Amino acid sequence: MSKVLVADAKKCVGCRICEQWCSMSHFRTGNPKKSRITVTRSHEDYMDYPVVCRQCVDTPCIKACPTKIDALSKDENTGAIIVDEEKCIACKMCIKACPYNAIKVHPSEKYVLICDLCGGDPQCVKYCPENALYFLDREEADKLVAATKEDE
Amino acid sequence: MTKNGIAGQLLRVNLTTKKITNEQLPLEMFIDYLGGRGLGAFYLDKEVDPKIHGLSPENKLIFFNGPFSGTMVPGNNKINVAFKSPLTNTYSYSLCGGHFGPELKFAGYDGLIIEGKSEEPVYLWIDNDKVEIKSADKLWGQKIADTDHLIKEELNDQKIHVACIGPAGENQVNIACVTSDVFREFGRGGGGAVMGSKNLKAIAVRGSKDVEVADPEGLMELVAGLYPNFKKNPKAQIRRVEGTNELVRGINNAGFMCTKNFSEGTSEANKEFEGSLFREKVVYNDVSCYACPIACGKNSAIVSTKYGAVKLEGPEFETLGLLGTNCGLTNWEDVLHVSAICDALGLDSITAGGCVSLAMECFEKGILTLKDTNGLELSFGNGKAEAELLEMIAYKKGIGADLAEGPAYAAEKWGAPELAMHSKGMTFAVYDPRGAKGMALTYATSPKGAHHMVAPVFGGEMAAGNRFEEKGKETLVRNTQLNFAAVDSLGFCATCQNGFLRADQLKAFKLVTGYELTEEKMLFNAERIFNMERMYNVKNGFARKDDTLPKRFTEEPMAFGESKGQVVDLETLLDNYYAAMGWNNDGVPTEEKLQALGL
């Protein structure tokens, strides 16, 4: 069974080390706008919110991608959404469809950035100093999310 | 695009002519001046006459990142601003952590120089190459958090980073700070007043450019290997749990924690503020600056106080000490409340605390009466009165207007100059120099007035068990001054040095810039920076006569506690230090020294 990436905002401190590793490991450059994971700090509720693709079962992004473009697919091994950079035109239909605001347009190219789980070894999870990111079997992830909700 | 860690350009904005230009900045500048603080010293010396008034349009705000800003180098996010200080009439610089510096780098700039003066309130909007001077009519008068919020609304992006001033800066209060991302300050020296004098309310930045490094694979390997050092380092770990307030216990027990305007060095009541109780009673989560694996920042809150709910990032140790124990406060409610007021109004909480404690001692001694204070009972420990006085300072009302000029001015006017605990017009940090003689030298010889981070040697002195000795402190202070001139310029946070040693800093320099910087050259450059800073003040007439401490520290023995009986022998310290620096006995760098440094 494929694993999913889960972010726990309660543990996040906003260091953005996840963004740095995402950008460096994919593009060999430091640029948060090229990171597929994004941390937003709210000065209103004093929290940091890491936002990243959750590998939805029903893949609204793939469904939203226009048929004639057909740039998105699901990796059968990892369950990650794979963007075909040649086909994608950055029409932003997937961005509108994503319920978690986890997709962004590459800052200088005409394609979108979606978490590819680093082929099964997500670097953000590996280097998060807070252990605020988990890479779990879907069943375990569901349990964790349910427990967190109960907490609240 | 940034290559080898360097964007290669600085942005210059003239608010008088509205002219906006880009200037080239070669890598060599980062080799010779290392980065933020060094480049600030270079440009201030080159472009701003040391004799001008800090609030004149000829003054400039010179912001510079270090070469690592925006890279994954851990604990590196400090951006420096250099300016002529209206508070101290000296060279001044201030460093700010958080996320503002890296964002400026992502926008494609190593630095930003603001010059001139706008006729009407404006703010600067830097969106990569697109730079606009926009009207700040709707922002003028707003407090810090509201300003940040309104700018993000207007520009329709919650992810931009804003540095701004509050009412204190607008009113050109000499102890006003510049605040980035609501809770991170370019704190000391009155940079906020300089910004206010230019009618510049804020600088908003958004960047989406690459920060490329010379050897990305090598850098990833180095950085991955550094993270465990932070986890293993005891200092880094206690900072994580208790923030900088981990220092309260040691400093209070050792009897040199500022208490009641430095009239005492310790108190039972101060124990309420020990780091463990801070964590237990008021902290509810941890906050990190860019690329920092420690996260010493703390969000604090008390849901129900006599002031209502209080919530803020902080207070860190210096704020707690100066606004808190030094004003005789004894509970977290009051401390959080006055900290939040400084944050909202844009006041440097350290100097503000030193101003309030001065007024409180004057009040208790009858130098200020209820008539002078408009009925305010300014006794030590009165948190409510302290809060009101802070407002009066920010809006220049009553005796607040005197303190807004600075503690030295106010104390002189009130006829009690000896009660202002300042050097060169800037008030002290927490550490009473009678309890750590190296700190006496740090404060007295600092180019920006009594600031602790120019050479925070107290920890080393305590560890060595020689904190009461004057002997040998010239070497300790000199070495620490040079180390900090280097790490401040490179953009490292002081806390992050615990776990990120010099050998690794030099490795990072090579991997990021491609240039092999030796330790020898790094320290040579640091010494040149420090001498440039000194010379800037010398050109304005500063000398040994200005490297002073209040009489309280040189003549009044500490009354009780673990530093009991101590006074500072400043003249011996200065004699030895000047000799160690290659300066003459009047504190002026010799011709030979300047020549050796290429100045």
Side-chain angles (χ1 to χ4, degrees):
Chain A
M1 191 165 63
S2 63
K3 288 178 158 189
V4 292
L5 216 165
V6 182
D8 184 353
K10 276 188 175 161
K11 284 182 159 187
C12 180
V13 298
C15 63
R16 300 164 70 194
I17 285 172
C18 53
E19 295 180 3
Q20 291 145 29
W21 280 92
C22 185
S23 164
M24 279 294 272
S25 56
H26 287 94
F27 294 101
R28 296 295 181 270
T29 188
N31 188 344
K33 297 286 196 288
K34 286 187 180 175
S35 167
R36 285 141 163 111
I37 183 166
T38 303
V39 180
T40 304
R41 178 165 294 176
S42 163
H43 296 297
E44 266 82 50
D45 58 8
Y46 297 76
M47 289 282 286
D48 291 289
Y49 296 100
V51 175
V52 64
C53 173
R54 302 185 185 195
Q55 295 87 42
C56 300
V57 178
D58 58 352
T59 60
C61 52
I62 297 180
K63 285 178 189 154
C65 186
T67 318
K68 60 179 179 191
I69 305 292
D70 191 28
L72 303 182
S73 60
K74 194 161 194 157
D75 184 305
E76 280 178 19
N77 289 322
T78 64
I81 305 295
I82 302 302
V83 180
D84 187 327
E85 293 161 13
E86 301 292 316
K87 289 182 178 174
C88 181
I89 56 163
C91 70
K92 301 185 185 175
M93 295 306 286
C94 57
I95 291 179
K96 284 181 193 135
C98 175
Y100 301 110
N101 210 10
I103 307 177
K104 63 174 88 159
V105 179
H106 185 291
S108 50
E109 305 287 333
K110 283 262 172 244
Y111 65 88
V112 296
L113 298 170
I114 304 177
C115 172
D116 61 1
L117 294 173
C118 298
D121 180 22
Q123 299 296 291
C124 56
V125 177
K126 190 170 167 186
Y127 290 107
C128 173
E130 306 301 323
N131 300 316
L133 300 170
Y134 305 92
F135 193 45
L136 300 171
D137 290 333
R138 189 171 293 279
E139 211 170 282
E140 281 178 69
D142 286 344
K143 270 188 218 159
L144 186 79
V145 172
T148 311
K149 277 187 179 151
E150 222 162 82
D151 252 14
E152 283 160 358
Chain B
M1 188 179 72
T2 294
K3 279 190 175 159
N4 293 345
I6 312 298
Q9 64 175 357
L10 74 90
L11 179 66
R12 188 184 291 273
V13 177
N14 187 309
L15 294 173
T16 308
T17 61
K18 314 283 185 206
K19 199 174 158 203
I20 296 166
T21 46
N22 291 340
E23 287 170 29
Q24 298 292 310
L25 196 71
L27 173 63
E28 287 68 42
M29 289 296 281
F30 284 86
I31 294 166
D32 289 345
Y33 296 96
L34 303 175
R37 183 171 152 192
L39 288 167
F42 173 80
Y43 278 96
L44 197 74
D45 182 54
K46 192 169 155 224
E47 300 187 5
V48 178
D49 183 341
K51 292 186 186 300
I52 62 151
H53 191 283
L55 299 179
S56 73
E58 287 77 37
N59 203 357
K60 299 187 184 188
L61 288 165
I62 301 169
F63 294 89
F64 267 101
N65 276 309
F68 303 143
S69 180
T71 71
M72 68 194 324
V73 172
N76 194 294
N77 47 57
K78 294 258 183 176
I79 178 167
N80 182 71
V81 63
F83 53 94
K84 172 80 194 285
S85 168
L87 176 69
T88 59
N89 197 29
T90 63
Y91 166 86
S92 204
Y93 68 90
S94 187
L95 293 142
C96 181
H99 299 257
F100 180 78
E103 194 70 17
L104 187 65
K105 191 77 157 279
F106 297 134
Y109 307 102
D110 296 306
L112 163 68
I113 298 183
I114 309 270
E115 54 192 35
K117 178 189 177 174
S118 170
E119 278 183 23
E120 62 291 325
V122 291
Y123 78 96
L124 190 63
W125 170 218
I126 302 169
D127 186 14
N128 287 331
D129 302 327
K130 208 175 104 213
V131 181
E132 283 178 81
I133 300 169
K134 293 173 76 86
S135 167
D137 277 352
K138 288 181 197 151
L139 303 172
W140 207 252
Q142 298 289 343
K143 294 178 180 173
I144 297 290
D146 299 324
T147 305
D148 186 274
H149 178 75
L150 286 167
I151 289 176
K152 285 175 178 164
E153 292 277 298
E154 181 173 313
L155 300 173
N156 194 26
D157 186 350
Q158 292 301 311
K159 288 194 62 65
I160 61 173
H161 294 273
V162 176
C164 67
I165 55 170
E170 293 174 13
N171 297 331
Q172 299 178 41
V173 170
N174 285 341
I175 62 168
C177 58
V178 180
T179 306
S180 81
D181 293 331
V182 186
F183 289 113
R184 291 274 149 192
E185 289 87 12
F186 300 90
R188 306 210 76 192
V194 176
M195 201 156 142
S197 74
K198 299 187 173 307
N199 270 319
L200 180 64
K201 178 67 175 171
I203 302 161
V205 186
R206 178 169 65 191
S208 63
K209 297 194 185 184
D210 289 349
V211 172
E212 296 209 336
V213 300
D215 181 353
E217 309 296 335
L219 187 64
M220 285 192 278
E221 194 187 331
L222 175 76
V223 170
L226 285 171
Y227 293 142
N229 296 356
F230 293 102
K231 295 281 177 219
K232 277 186 289 198
N233 183 284
K235 189 75 173 173
Q237 283 314 294
I238 189 76
R239 290 255 160 133
R240 169 50 188 265
V241 180
E242 302 181 0
T244 46
N245 290 329
E246 56 95 5
L247 289 165
V248 172
R249 190 178 299 114
I251 308 284
N252 190 45
N253 286 348
F256 66 109
M257 178 151 189
C258 63
T259 305
K260 297 185 180 173
N261 202 36
F262 292 92
S263 63
E264 297 170 7
T266 185
S267 139
E268 268 303 299
N270 293 353
K271 292 188 171 171
E272 168 67 7
F273 302 122
E274 287 183 359
S276 52
L277 290 174
F278 172 59
R279 183 85 209 183
E280 186 186 319
K281 292 189 170 184
V282 297
V283 172
Y284 72 92
N285 66 7
D286 307 279
V287 204
S288 179
C289 296
Y290 191 77
C292 176
I294 298 178
C296 75
K298 305 285 161 258
N299 281 321
S300 308
I302 305 180
V303 177
S304 161
T305 76
K306 55 182 176 282
Y307 310 105
V310 192
K311 208 171 183 184
L312 72 154
E313 186 183 325
E316 53 76 53
F317 178 59
E318 305 299 336
T319 299
L320 163 71
L322 273 297
L323 285 175
T325 61
N326 204 40
C327 294
L329 299 188
T330 55
N331 63 72
W332 283 109
E333 270 190 34
D334 283 330
V335 169
L336 261 56
H337 181 58
V338 292
S339 304
I341 285 176
C342 284
D343 288 344
L345 299 174
L347 284 170
D348 160 20
S349 54
I350 304 181
T351 318
C355 284
V356 174
S357 68
L358 160 68
M360 284 178 160
E361 185 165 1
C362 286
F363 184 81
E364 295 219 336
K365 292 203 152 108
I367 296 160
L368 290 176
T369 63
L370 279 173
K371 206 177 136 203
D372 298 316
T373 65
N374 291 342
L376 213 53
E377 285 273 359
L378 276 173
S379 318
F380 284 119
N382 187 343
K384 201 156 174 281
E386 177 173 351
E388 283 188 48
L389 184 56
L390 291 169
E391 298 262 355
M392 288 164 67
I393 295 172
Y395 292 99
K396 290 189 165 173
K397 289 189 179 146
I399 57 165
D402 299 335
L403 292 168
E405 297 299 313
Y409 173 91
E412 185 77 37
K413 187 177 169 189
W414 302 340
E418 74 284 0
L419 296 184
M421 295 297 117
H422 78 93
S423 182
K424 299 187 181 74
M426 188 188 274
T427 60
F428 289 79
V430 168
Y431 327 92
D432 188 316
R434 286 171 292 188
K437 302 295 168 60
M439 287 307 292
L441 202 45
T442 293
Y443 288 131
T445 61
S446 149
K448 55 186 274 201
H451 185 59
H452 57 302
M453 290 309 289
V454 180
V457 293
F458 62 91
E461 294 185 274
M462 289 172 85
N466 64 6
R467 64 191 175 97
F468 298 139
E469 285 171 31
E470 272 86 5
K471 197 172 150 252
K473 293 299 163 64
E474 66 280 2
T475 311
L476 176 67
V477 170
R478 178 184 182 275
N479 291 345
T480 311
Q481 283 172 335
L482 299 193
N483 179 52
F484 272 78
V487 296
D488 286 350
S489 297
L490 293 170
F492 285 108
C493 159
T495 291
C496 278
Q497 286 189 82
N498 302 296
F500 198 162
L501 303 175
R502 186 177 288 161
D504 289 323
Q505 294 172 14
L506 293 169
K507 272 185 210 160
F509 197 93
K510 171 81 199 274
L511 295 167
V512 169
T513 67
Y515 179 85
E516 186 130 16
L517 182 68
T518 60
E519 182 173 16
E520 195 188 356
K521 187 163 171 110
M522 178 187 189
L523 291 175
F524 176 85
N525 292 346
E527 188 175 1
R528 180 164 54 190
I529 293 164
F530 200 76
N531 277 271
M532 284 179 75
E533 295 175 333
R534 181 78 180 180
M535 282 308 295
Y536 191 84
N537 290 335
V538 167
K539 286 178 206 162
N540 193 23
F542 282 79
R544 181 174 188 137
K545 66 179 168 45
D546 303 290
D547 291 347
T548 59
L549 295 176
K551 279 184 188 166
R552 177 158 286 167
F553 298 146
T554 55
E555 291 178 14
E556 289 177 29
M558 188 74 89
F560 57 86
E562 292 296 314
S563 299
K564 187 179 171 181
Q566 292 297 318
V567 288
V568 177
D569 177 3
L570 182 61
E571 300 313 317
T572 300
L573 283 166
L574 289 178
D575 284 341
N576 296 338
Y577 170 80
Y578 293 154
M581 291 300 286
W583 298 353
N584 70 22
N585 201 42
D586 199 30
V588 177
T590 59
E591 272 306 314
E592 299 80 63
K593 177 50 82 175
L594 293 177
Q595 266 177 16
L597 292 170
L599 292 172

